Amino acid sequence: MGYVTYVLVQNPQDSPNNVAITYMTPSGQVAGLLHHGSHSRKTVKVNDVLPPDTDVSTTCTLCPLIAERSMYWERAHPGEAATTP
């Protein structure tokens, strides 16, 4: 179990556009392309694009955009808390 990573991209423009997403991994770059409607947002689950436990950095380019990365820890037993510090 590890992190689940998402890239969230928003097109604030009045017209559709394309966003190039480049995943930079230890074994090389992996390219992706999103087609975006105007004033829309898309979420990409990076874990669905790359093999599990891949170290990755991400760039988004081609047009004016808003981008963020969200990461969540996926635990084997949801709700289980630590009993000691």
Side-chain angles (χ1 to χ4, degrees):
M1 295 287 154
Y3 287 103
V4 179
T5 303
Y6 298 90
V7 175
L8 302 91
V9 183
Q10 181 178 347
N11 174 10
Q13 306 300 310
D14 291 330
S15 59
N17 62 29
N18 294 318
V19 176
I21 299 180
T22 304
Y23 305 98
M24 294 163 285
T25 72
S27 60
Q29 295 184 356
V30 177
L33 184 66
L34 290 178
H35 304 287
H36 250 280
S38 62
H39 301 283
S40 64
R41 177 180 164 196
K42 292 198 176 183
T43 301
V44 177
K45 186 176 179 184
V46 177
N47 300 67
D48 289 345
V49 178
L50 300 174
D53 299 321
T54 300
D55 293 332
V56 63
S57 294
T58 308
T59 62
C60 299
T61 57
L62 283 188
C63 61
L65 57 91
I66 300 166
E68 67 177 291
R69 176 186 69 178
S70 295
M71 296 173 63
Y72 299 91
W73 181 253
E74 188 175 79
R75 298 178 348 161
H77 302 287
E80 185 177 292
T83 58
T84 59

